[in-house]
Amino acid sequence: MTSLVLTDSSQLTSDSQHLGIYSSPMTSLVLTDSSQLTSDSQHLDISGVLKDGGSVIPGSLEAFHKLQNSGLPVKLVTNETQETKRSLALSLSSLGYDVNERDILPPCPAVVKLLKEQGLRPHLLVHPNVLGEFQELDQSNPNCVVIGDASDNFTYKNLNTAFKILINMPKPRLFTLGRGRYYREQSGLLVLDVGVFTAALEYAADVKAEVIGKPQPDFFHSAILEMGIKPEEVVMVGDDVVSDIGGAQSCGLKGVLVRTGKFRPSDECHPYVQPDAIVDDLAGAVQLILDTRNNYSFS
């Protein structure tokens, strides 16, 4: 760390973090209030903090292993719906990350569990790579619609089919696997995310989508429950100021924003989400976590 900017006399004391997965070399740290970050585990996002498309963000691999070696529990909390949990674990492992399936919490298994419990038959507007996640469900005569990041399958025909199913239901139900507006693809360009297409179906069918994934509090709570900790003992680190940081803060977690992935400079002045800290990358977030874990105070 080459510089530190404080807006007041904050303390960050933490034994746990939620992290997104994209990163770059850290040059500064911004603390935005006088909160204390005390935590016993970490939740990490995947895209935008650990990796960028199929490439490791410089410094993230070393930072991730440093965090693991500290003994802090880590959970990868992601809205990724173009890959299954298994393929996510394999792709991260191929990049050098020491992770397995139980470390990852994506929305597809969560929505499948909910659909089974409620006896729902989904029409799927999702990426072909994750269709296998839903194979145990009855999909005949659908009584709900599930939308994920379908990428190139977001065609007029496919969206119109989903609309027709919703508009003809007496009580339409629409489940969306996240509310992201955009993300950064491997080319480095920002592209539309599932939230944009969800909004179109909500408007056309006059229905309010039920969110499975970030920023829904139940999604964060399920990760916390798996780890056996309290919300105030966890910090979320991510690149999405609304879904990662705002979502985490809404259910009692602290939020650290990284300047990687989909981050834009305007995120630092967001009208209603104020991160507890802003760092340049995962390396900076991990250093902050470990420093504050050792009762290091910034003043």
Side-chain angles (χ1 to χ4, degrees), residues 258-289:
V258 291
R259 297 187 180 104
T260 53
K262 68 169 64 176
F263 169 84
R264 301 177 69 197
S266 59
D267 293 341
E268 296 190 26
C269 303
H270 196 275
Y272 62 88
V273 178
Q274 185 180 43
D276 295 286
I278 304 171
V279 297
D280 282 351
D281 55 21
L282 180 58
V286 169
Q287 190 61 55
L288 173 63
I289 293 162

PDB file of all heavy atoms in Angstrom, residues 258-289:
ATOM      1  N   VAL A 258     -13.992  -2.998  -4.240  1.00  0.00           N
ATOM      2  CA  VAL A 258     -12.713  -2.993  -4.950  1.00  0.00           C
ATOM      3  C   VAL A 258     -12.854  -2.257  -6.272  1.00  0.00           C
ATOM      4  O   VAL A 258     -13.902  -2.293  -6.912  1.00  0.00           O
ATOM      5  CB  VAL A 258     -12.186  -4.425  -5.197  1.00  0.00           C
ATOM      6  CG1 VAL A 258     -11.772  -5.083  -3.898  1.00  0.00           C
ATOM      7  CG2 VAL A 258     -13.230  -5.283  -5.915  1.00  0.00           C
ATOM      8  N   ARG A 259     -11.771  -1.601  -6.687  1.00  0.00           N
ATOM      9  CA  ARG A 259     -11.775  -0.828  -7.924  1.00  0.00           C
ATOM     10  C   ARG A 259     -11.356  -1.708  -9.108  1.00  0.00           C
ATOM     11  O   ARG A 259     -10.477  -1.344  -9.897  1.00  0.00           O
ATOM     12  CB  ARG A 259     -10.831   0.367  -7.797  1.00  0.00           C
ATOM     13  CG  ARG A 259     -11.220   1.394  -6.732  1.00  0.00           C
ATOM     14  CD  ARG A 259     -10.304   2.609  -6.812  1.00  0.00           C
ATOM     15  NE  ARG A 259     -10.631   3.613  -5.823  1.00  0.00           N
ATOM     16  CZ  ARG A 259      -9.933   3.826  -4.706  1.00  0.00           C
ATOM     17  NH1 ARG A 259      -8.864   3.086  -4.450  1.00  0.00           N
ATOM     18  NH2 ARG A 259     -10.286   4.767  -3.868  1.00  0.00           N
ATOM     19  N   THR A 260     -11.955  -2.874  -9.223  1.00  0.00           N
ATOM     20  CA  THR A 260     -11.674  -3.791 -10.327  1.00  0.00           C
ATOM     21  C   THR A 260     -12.990  -4.300 -10.890  1.00  0.00           C
ATOM     22  O   THR A 260     -14.058  -3.965 -10.396  1.00  0.00           O
ATOM     23  CB  THR A 260     -10.806  -4.972  -9.841  1.00  0.00           C
ATOM     24  OG1 THR A 260     -11.443  -5.573  -8.702  1.00  0.00           O
ATOM     25  CG2 THR A 260      -9.408  -4.518  -9.461  1.00  0.00           C
ATOM     26  N   GLY A 261     -12.942  -5.131 -11.939  1.00  0.00           N
ATOM     27  CA  GLY A 261     -14.162  -5.678 -12.514  1.00  0.00           C
ATOM     28  C   GLY A 261     -15.040  -4.596 -13.101  1.00  0.00           C
ATOM     29  O   GLY A 261     -14.607  -3.765 -13.892  1.00  0.00           O
ATOM     30  N   LYS A 262     -16.305  -4.569 -12.675  1.00  0.00           N
ATOM     31  CA  LYS A 262     -17.271  -3.611 -13.218  1.00  0.00           C
ATOM     32  C   LYS A 262     -17.206  -2.237 -12.538  1.00  0.00           C
ATOM     33  O   LYS A 262     -17.965  -1.341 -12.890  1.00  0.00           O
ATOM     34  CB  LYS A 262     -18.692  -4.166 -13.111  1.00  0.00           C
ATOM     35  CG  LYS A 262     -19.202  -4.279 -11.678  1.00  0.00           C
ATOM     36  CD  LYS A 262     -20.695  -4.576 -11.629  1.00  0.00           C
ATOM     37  CE  LYS A 262     -21.028  -5.907 -12.239  1.00  0.00           C
ATOM     38  NZ  LYS A 262     -22.459  -6.236 -12.121  1.00  0.00           N
ATOM     39  N   PHE A 263     -16.311  -2.088 -11.567  1.00  0.00           N
ATOM     40  CA  PHE A 263     -16.209  -0.820 -10.840  1.00  0.00           C
ATOM     41  C   PHE A 263     -16.051   0.357 -11.804  1.00  0.00           C
ATOM     42  O   PHE A 263     -15.331   0.293 -12.806  1.00  0.00           O
ATOM     43  CB  PHE A 263     -15.008  -0.851  -9.897  1.00  0.00           C
ATOM     44  CG  PHE A 263     -14.670   0.497  -9.312  1.00  0.00           C
ATOM     45  CD1 PHE A 263     -15.323   0.964  -8.186  1.00  0.00           C
ATOM     46  CD2 PHE A 263     -13.709   1.306  -9.918  1.00  0.00           C
ATOM     47  CE1 PHE A 263     -15.022   2.217  -7.657  1.00  0.00           C
ATOM     48  CE2 PHE A 263     -13.399   2.555  -9.397  1.00  0.00           C
ATOM     49  CZ  PHE A 263     -14.055   3.007  -8.266  1.00  0.00           C
ATOM     50  N   ARG A 264     -16.752   1.447 -11.473  1.00  0.00           N
ATOM     51  CA  ARG A 264     -16.597   2.714 -12.180  1.00  0.00           C
ATOM     52  C   ARG A 264     -16.372   3.812 -11.143  1.00  0.00           C
ATOM     53  O   ARG A 264     -16.888   3.729 -10.019  1.00  0.00           O
ATOM     54  CB  ARG A 264     -17.847   3.025 -13.014  1.00  0.00           C
ATOM     55  CG  ARG A 264     -18.161   1.952 -14.044  1.00  0.00           C
ATOM     56  CD  ARG A 264     -19.433   2.259 -14.792  1.00  0.00           C
ATOM     57  NE  ARG A 264     -19.263   3.417 -15.666  1.00  0.00           N
ATOM     58  CZ  ARG A 264     -20.288   4.098 -16.190  1.00  0.00           C
ATOM     59  NH1 ARG A 264     -21.535   3.742 -15.896  1.00  0.00           N
ATOM     60  NH2 ARG A 264     -20.066   5.120 -16.976  1.00  0.00           N
ATOM     61  N   PRO A 265     -15.596   4.852 -11.481  1.00  0.00           N
ATOM     62  CA  PRO A 265     -15.301   5.901 -10.503  1.00  0.00           C
ATOM     63  C   PRO A 265     -16.538   6.491  -9.833  1.00  0.00           C
ATOM     64  O   PRO A 265     -16.500   6.863  -8.652  1.00  0.00           O
ATOM     65  CB  PRO A 265     -14.565   6.952 -11.338  1.00  0.00           C
ATOM     66  CG  PRO A 265     -13.893   6.155 -12.414  1.00  0.00           C
ATOM     67  CD  PRO A 265     -14.868   5.059 -12.744  1.00  0.00           C
ATOM     68  N   SER A 266     -17.648   6.570 -10.557  1.00  0.00           N
ATOM     69  CA  SER A 266     -18.876   7.131  -9.981  1.00  0.00           C
ATOM     70  C   SER A 266     -19.416   6.283  -8.832  1.00  0.00           C
ATOM     71  O   SER A 266     -20.206   6.777  -8.012  1.00  0.00           O
ATOM     72  CB  SER A 266     -19.949   7.270 -11.060  1.00  0.00           C
ATOM     73  OG  SER A 266     -20.250   6.010 -11.656  1.00  0.00           O
ATOM     74  N   ASP A 267     -18.994   5.007  -8.736  1.00  0.00           N
ATOM     75  CA  ASP A 267     -19.459   4.140  -7.647  1.00  0.00           C
ATOM     76  C   ASP A 267     -19.028   4.662  -6.282  1.00  0.00           C
ATOM     77  O   ASP A 267     -19.663   4.378  -5.272  1.00  0.00           O
ATOM     78  CB  ASP A 267     -18.928   2.713  -7.833  1.00  0.00           C
ATOM     79  CG  ASP A 267     -19.508   2.016  -9.053  1.00  0.00           C
ATOM     80  OD1 ASP A 267     -20.562   2.470  -9.541  1.00  0.00           O
ATOM     81  OD2 ASP A 267     -18.908   1.025  -9.510  1.00  0.00           O
ATOM     82  N   GLU A 268     -17.940   5.431  -6.240  1.00  0.00           N
ATOM     83  CA  GLU A 268     -17.447   5.941  -4.967  1.00  0.00           C
ATOM     84  C   GLU A 268     -18.346   7.040  -4.406  1.00  0.00           C
ATOM     85  O   GLU A 268     -18.248   7.380  -3.230  1.00  0.00           O
ATOM     86  CB  GLU A 268     -16.021   6.465  -5.128  1.00  0.00           C
ATOM     87  CG  GLU A 268     -15.037   5.371  -5.499  1.00  0.00           C
ATOM     88  CD  GLU A 268     -13.592   5.833  -5.426  1.00  0.00           C
ATOM     89  OE1 GLU A 268     -13.297   6.772  -4.657  1.00  0.00           O
ATOM     90  OE2 GLU A 268     -12.754   5.246  -6.138  1.00  0.00           O
ATOM     91  N   CYS A 269     -19.207   7.575  -5.250  1.00  0.00           N
ATOM     92  CA  CYS A 269     -20.148   8.626  -4.820  1.00  0.00           C
ATOM     93  C   CYS A 269     -21.581   8.177  -5.056  1.00  0.00           C
ATOM     94  O   CYS A 269     -22.443   8.972  -5.453  1.00  0.00           O
ATOM     95  CB  CYS A 269     -19.866   9.924  -5.573  1.00  0.00           C
ATOM     96  SG  CYS A 269     -18.195  10.545  -5.384  1.00  0.00           S
ATOM     97  N   HIS A 270     -21.857   6.909  -4.844  1.00  0.00           N
ATOM     98  CA  HIS A 270     -23.186   6.364  -5.098  1.00  0.00           C
ATOM     99  C   HIS A 270     -24.215   7.077  -4.215  1.00  0.00           C
ATOM    100  O   HIS A 270     -23.953   7.355  -3.041  1.00  0.00           O
ATOM    101  CB  HIS A 270     -23.214   4.866  -4.820  1.00  0.00           C
ATOM    102  CG  HIS A 270     -24.397   4.179  -5.414  1.00  0.00           C
ATOM    103  ND1 HIS A 270     -25.609   4.120  -4.779  1.00  0.00           N
ATOM    104  CD2 HIS A 270     -24.553   3.532  -6.602  1.00  0.00           C
ATOM    105  CE1 HIS A 270     -26.467   3.468  -5.531  1.00  0.00           C
ATOM    106  NE2 HIS A 270     -25.856   3.100  -6.649  1.00  0.00           N
ATOM    107  N   PRO A 271     -25.400   7.375  -4.751  1.00  0.00           N
ATOM    108  CA  PRO A 271     -26.378   8.173  -3.992  1.00  0.00           C
ATOM    109  C   PRO A 271     -26.926   7.501  -2.741  1.00  0.00           C
ATOM    110  O   PRO A 271     -27.362   8.197  -1.817  1.00  0.00           O
ATOM    111  CB  PRO A 271     -27.486   8.442  -5.015  1.00  0.00           C
ATOM    112  CG  PRO A 271     -27.323   7.388  -6.067  1.00  0.00           C
ATOM    113  CD  PRO A 271     -25.857   7.117  -6.135  1.00  0.00           C
ATOM    114  N   TYR A 272     -26.936   6.167  -2.684  1.00  0.00           N
ATOM    115  CA  TYR A 272     -27.509   5.546  -1.479  1.00  0.00           C
ATOM    116  C   TYR A 272     -26.704   4.380  -0.919  1.00  0.00           C
ATOM    117  O   TYR A 272     -27.089   3.809   0.102  1.00  0.00           O
ATOM    118  CB  TYR A 272     -28.961   5.108  -1.729  1.00  0.00           C
ATOM    119  CG  TYR A 272     -29.158   4.067  -2.801  1.00  0.00           C
ATOM    120  CD1 TYR A 272     -29.089   2.708  -2.501  1.00  0.00           C
ATOM    121  CD2 TYR A 272     -29.456   4.430  -4.106  1.00  0.00           C
ATOM    122  CE1 TYR A 272     -29.291   1.747  -3.472  1.00  0.00           C
ATOM    123  CE2 TYR A 272     -29.665   3.473  -5.089  1.00  0.00           C
ATOM    124  CZ  TYR A 272     -29.575   2.136  -4.764  1.00  0.00           C
ATOM    125  OH  TYR A 272     -29.771   1.186  -5.738  1.00  0.00           O
ATOM    126  N   VAL A 273     -25.601   3.999  -1.534  1.00  0.00           N
ATOM    127  CA  VAL A 273     -24.735   2.965  -0.967  1.00  0.00           C
ATOM    128  C   VAL A 273     -23.379   3.584  -0.642  1.00  0.00           C
ATOM    129  O   VAL A 273     -22.715   4.138  -1.525  1.00  0.00           O
ATOM    130  CB  VAL A 273     -24.535   1.782  -1.939  1.00  0.00           C
ATOM    131  CG1 VAL A 273     -23.588   0.758  -1.316  1.00  0.00           C
ATOM    132  CG2 VAL A 273     -25.862   1.124  -2.284  1.00  0.00           C
ATOM    133  N   GLN A 274     -22.992   3.514   0.616  1.00  0.00           N
ATOM    134  CA  GLN A 274     -21.699   4.036   1.057  1.00  0.00           C
ATOM    135  C   GLN A 274     -20.870   2.878   1.594  1.00  0.00           C
ATOM    136  O   GLN A 274     -21.080   2.399   2.708  1.00  0.00           O
ATOM    137  CB  GLN A 274     -21.885   5.093   2.149  1.00  0.00           C
ATOM    138  CG  GLN A 274     -20.592   5.772   2.560  1.00  0.00           C
ATOM    139  CD  GLN A 274     -20.801   6.803   3.647  1.00  0.00           C
ATOM    140  OE1 GLN A 274     -21.544   6.562   4.599  1.00  0.00           O
ATOM    141  NE2 GLN A 274     -20.145   7.942   3.522  1.00  0.00           N
ATOM    142  N   PRO A 275     -19.897   2.389   0.813  1.00  0.00           N
ATOM    143  CA  PRO A 275     -19.062   1.278   1.286  1.00  0.00           C
ATOM    144  C   PRO A 275     -18.357   1.620   2.592  1.00  0.00           C
ATOM    145  O   PRO A 275     -18.036   2.780   2.858  1.00  0.00           O
ATOM    146  CB  PRO A 275     -18.046   1.091   0.144  1.00  0.00           C
ATOM    147  CG  PRO A 275     -18.706   1.681  -1.060  1.00  0.00           C
ATOM    148  CD  PRO A 275     -19.513   2.836  -0.540  1.00  0.00           C
ATOM    149  N   ASP A 276     -18.102   0.598   3.405  1.00  0.00           N
ATOM    150  CA  ASP A 276     -17.356   0.805   4.637  1.00  0.00           C
ATOM    151  C   ASP A 276     -15.885   1.067   4.349  1.00  0.00           C
ATOM    152  O   ASP A 276     -15.197   1.700   5.148  1.00  0.00           O
ATOM    153  CB  ASP A 276     -17.506  -0.414   5.556  1.00  0.00           C
ATOM    154  CG  ASP A 276     -18.945  -0.592   6.016  1.00  0.00           C
ATOM    155  OD1 ASP A 276     -19.387   0.178   6.873  1.00  0.00           O
ATOM    156  OD2 ASP A 276     -19.633  -1.488   5.491  1.00  0.00           O
ATOM    157  N   ALA A 277     -15.406   0.567   3.218  1.00  0.00           N
ATOM    158  CA  ALA A 277     -14.044   0.852   2.779  1.00  0.00           C
ATOM    159  C   ALA A 277     -13.980   0.671   1.273  1.00  0.00           C
ATOM    160  O   ALA A 277     -14.756  -0.098   0.693  1.00  0.00           O
ATOM    161  CB  ALA A 277     -13.036  -0.061   3.470  1.00  0.00           C
ATOM    162  N   ILE A 278     -13.048   1.387   0.630  1.00  0.00           N
ATOM    163  CA  ILE A 278     -12.819   1.258  -0.806  1.00  0.00           C
ATOM    164  C   ILE A 278     -11.331   1.024  -1.011  1.00  0.00           C
ATOM    165  O   ILE A 278     -10.506   1.812  -0.520  1.00  0.00           O
ATOM    166  CB  ILE A 278     -13.263   2.525  -1.574  1.00  0.00           C
ATOM    167  CG1 ILE A 278     -14.730   2.844  -1.281  1.00  0.00           C
ATOM    168  CG2 ILE A 278     -13.048   2.329  -3.077  1.00  0.00           C
ATOM    169  CD1 ILE A 278     -15.180   4.192  -1.830  1.00  0.00           C
ATOM    170  N   VAL A 279     -10.989  -0.066  -1.687  1.00  0.00           N
ATOM    171  CA  VAL A 279      -9.588  -0.388  -1.954  1.00  0.00           C
ATOM    172  C   VAL A 279      -9.406  -0.642  -3.441  1.00  0.00           C
ATOM    173  O   VAL A 279     -10.373  -0.820  -4.171  1.00  0.00           O
ATOM    174  CB  VAL A 279      -9.122  -1.624  -1.146  1.00  0.00           C
ATOM    175  CG1 VAL A 279      -9.196  -1.354   0.351  1.00  0.00           C
ATOM    176  CG2 VAL A 279      -9.962  -2.856  -1.501  1.00  0.00           C
ATOM    177  N   ASP A 280      -8.161  -0.677  -3.886  1.00  0.00           N
ATOM    178  CA  ASP A 280      -7.920  -0.830  -5.315  1.00  0.00           C
ATOM    179  C   ASP A 280      -8.168  -2.249  -5.818  1.00  0.00           C
ATOM    180  O   ASP A 280      -8.517  -2.431  -6.982  1.00  0.00           O
ATOM    181  CB  ASP A 280      -6.490  -0.419  -5.661  1.00  0.00           C
ATOM    182  CG  ASP A 280      -6.340   1.090  -5.727  1.00  0.00           C
ATOM    183  OD1 ASP A 280      -7.368   1.789  -5.675  1.00  0.00           O
ATOM    184  OD2 ASP A 280      -5.200   1.576  -5.819  1.00  0.00           O
ATOM    185  N   ASP A 281      -7.980  -3.245  -4.965  1.00  0.00           N
ATOM    186  CA  ASP A 281      -8.061  -4.620  -5.449  1.00  0.00           C
ATOM    187  C   ASP A 281      -8.147  -5.604  -4.289  1.00  0.00           C
ATOM    188  O   ASP A 281      -8.169  -5.215  -3.123  1.00  0.00           O
ATOM    189  CB  ASP A 281      -6.862  -4.945  -6.334  1.00  0.00           C
ATOM    190  CG  ASP A 281      -5.543  -4.674  -5.635  1.00  0.00           C
ATOM    191  OD1 ASP A 281      -5.513  -4.630  -4.383  1.00  0.00           O
ATOM    192  OD2 ASP A 281      -4.530  -4.501  -6.329  1.00  0.00           O
ATOM    193  N   LEU A 282      -8.185  -6.882  -4.630  1.00  0.00           N
ATOM    194  CA  LEU A 282      -8.268  -7.921  -3.611  1.00  0.00           C
ATOM    195  C   LEU A 282      -7.037  -7.925  -2.719  1.00  0.00           C
ATOM    196  O   LEU A 282      -7.133  -8.151  -1.517  1.00  0.00           O
ATOM    197  CB  LEU A 282      -8.446  -9.289  -4.272  1.00  0.00           C
ATOM    198  CG  LEU A 282      -8.552 -10.490  -3.328  1.00  0.00           C
ATOM    199  CD1 LEU A 282      -9.723 -10.324  -2.367  1.00  0.00           C
ATOM    200  CD2 LEU A 282      -8.679 -11.785  -4.108  1.00  0.00           C
ATOM    201  N   ALA A 283      -5.873  -7.678  -3.308  1.00  0.00           N
ATOM    202  CA  ALA A 283      -4.647  -7.640  -2.512  1.00  0.00           C
ATOM    203  C   ALA A 283      -4.764  -6.591  -1.416  1.00  0.00           C
ATOM    204  O   ALA A 283      -4.387  -6.822  -0.262  1.00  0.00           O
ATOM    205  CB  ALA A 283      -3.446  -7.352  -3.415  1.00  0.00           C
ATOM    206  N   GLY A 284      -5.303  -5.425  -1.771  1.00  0.00           N
ATOM    207  CA  GLY A 284      -5.486  -4.377  -0.773  1.00  0.00           C
ATOM    208  C   GLY A 284      -6.513  -4.753   0.272  1.00  0.00           C
ATOM    209  O   GLY A 284      -6.352  -4.447   1.461  1.00  0.00           O
ATOM    210  N   ALA A 285      -7.593  -5.414  -0.155  1.00  0.00           N
ATOM    211  CA  ALA A 285      -8.629  -5.829   0.788  1.00  0.00           C
ATOM    212  C   ALA A 285      -8.091  -6.850   1.785  1.00  0.00           C
ATOM    213  O   ALA A 285      -8.342  -6.753   2.991  1.00  0.00           O
ATOM    214  CB  ALA A 285      -9.821  -6.413   0.028  1.00  0.00           C
ATOM    215  N   VAL A 286      -7.331  -7.818   1.290  1.00  0.00           N
ATOM    216  CA  VAL A 286      -6.783  -8.848   2.172  1.00  0.00           C
ATOM    217  C   VAL A 286      -5.795  -8.241   3.155  1.00  0.00           C
ATOM    218  O   VAL A 286      -5.798  -8.573   4.345  1.00  0.00           O
ATOM    219  CB  VAL A 286      -6.114  -9.969   1.344  1.00  0.00           C
ATOM    220  CG1 VAL A 286      -5.312 -10.909   2.245  1.00  0.00           C
ATOM    221  CG2 VAL A 286      -7.176 -10.759   0.582  1.00  0.00           C
ATOM    222  N   GLN A 287      -4.959  -7.317   2.677  1.00  0.00           N
ATOM    223  CA  GLN A 287      -4.000  -6.674   3.583  1.00  0.00           C
ATOM    224  C   GLN A 287      -4.730  -5.903   4.679  1.00  0.00           C
ATOM    225  O   GLN A 287      -4.348  -5.928   5.849  1.00  0.00           O
ATOM    226  CB  GLN A 287      -3.086  -5.736   2.803  1.00  0.00           C
ATOM    227  CG  GLN A 287      -1.908  -5.217   3.627  1.00  0.00           C
ATOM    228  CD  GLN A 287      -1.018  -6.350   4.117  1.00  0.00           C
ATOM    229  OE1 GLN A 287      -0.542  -7.162   3.319  1.00  0.00           O
ATOM    230  NE2 GLN A 287      -0.806  -6.422   5.426  1.00  0.00           N
ATOM    231  N   LEU A 288      -5.802  -5.219   4.284  1.00  0.00           N
ATOM    232  CA  LEU A 288      -6.610  -4.483   5.255  1.00  0.00           C
ATOM    233  C   LEU A 288      -7.215  -5.430   6.283  1.00  0.00           C
ATOM    234  O   LEU A 288      -7.186  -5.173   7.496  1.00  0.00           O
ATOM    235  CB  LEU A 288      -7.712  -3.717   4.533  1.00  0.00           C
ATOM    236  CG  LEU A 288      -8.754  -3.023   5.409  1.00  0.00           C
ATOM    237  CD1 LEU A 288      -8.115  -1.945   6.265  1.00  0.00           C
ATOM    238  CD2 LEU A 288      -9.850  -2.431   4.532  1.00  0.00           C
ATOM    239  N   ILE A 289      -7.750  -6.528   5.800  1.00  0.00           N
ATOM    240  CA  ILE A 289      -8.377  -7.510   6.688  1.00  0.00           C
ATOM    241  C   ILE A 289      -7.379  -8.051   7.703  1.00  0.00           C
ATOM    242  O   ILE A 289      -7.654  -8.123   8.896  1.00  0.00           O
ATOM    243  CB  ILE A 289      -8.961  -8.673   5.859  1.00  0.00           C
ATOM    244  CG1 ILE A 289     -10.124  -8.199   5.012  1.00  0.00           C
ATOM    245  CG2 ILE A 289      -9.381  -9.823   6.766  1.00  0.00           C
ATOM    246  CD1 ILE A 289     -10.466  -9.141   3.880  1.00  0.00           C
TER     247      ILE A 289
END
